[in-house]
Amino acid sequence: MNISIISGSARANNNTIRVGYALKKSFEQAGHQSTLIDFMQYDIPLINQGDLFPESLSNFQQTLVSVTRDADLCIIITPEYN
């Protein structure tokens, strides 16, 4: 199975990336292929901050699109803020 894991926090020293690495290691030990996306490098414009054009995606955007498109399972890890 091809699994994509998205660490949804862009903060430095976040816990979601640690959980992502643990999941990746666990899935790979079970014989699955997994890819971890770290949102520390994100460059996706938010509402009214710009557009995305398929012919001119950044490396991060291309990786995010291809990894999620090819995945059989996509896990998104989001932080909880109090």
Side-chain angles (χ1 to χ4, degrees):
M1 180 181 288
N2 187 4
I3 303 168
S4 69
I5 305 165
I6 299 173
S7 170
S9 178
R11 289 185 171 192
N13 301 319
N14 65 71
N15 288 324
T16 62
I17 195 68
R18 293 179 187 148
V19 173
Y21 281 122
L23 286 173
K24 180 175 174 54
K25 182 178 178 180
S26 178
F27 288 135
E28 289 177 350
Q29 287 175 344
H32 302 290
Q33 178 183 354
S34 64
T35 305
L36 177 60
I37 301 289
D38 184 357
F39 254 73
M40 282 289 296
Q41 303 150 358
Y42 88 99
D43 60 354
I44 299 172
L46 300 175
I47 299 170
N48 293 327
Q49 290 183 332
D51 297 319
L52 291 177
F53 300 100
E55 64 278 355
S56 61
L57 295 176
S58 69
N59 287 338
F60 175 81
Q61 295 163 359
Q62 289 174 354
T63 302
L64 182 62
V65 168
S66 67
V67 165
T68 54
R69 179 188 54 224
D70 298 338
D72 298 311
L73 174 66
C74 183
I75 298 172
I76 302 171
I77 307 166
T78 59
E80 178 182 347
Y81 297 107
N82 295 325

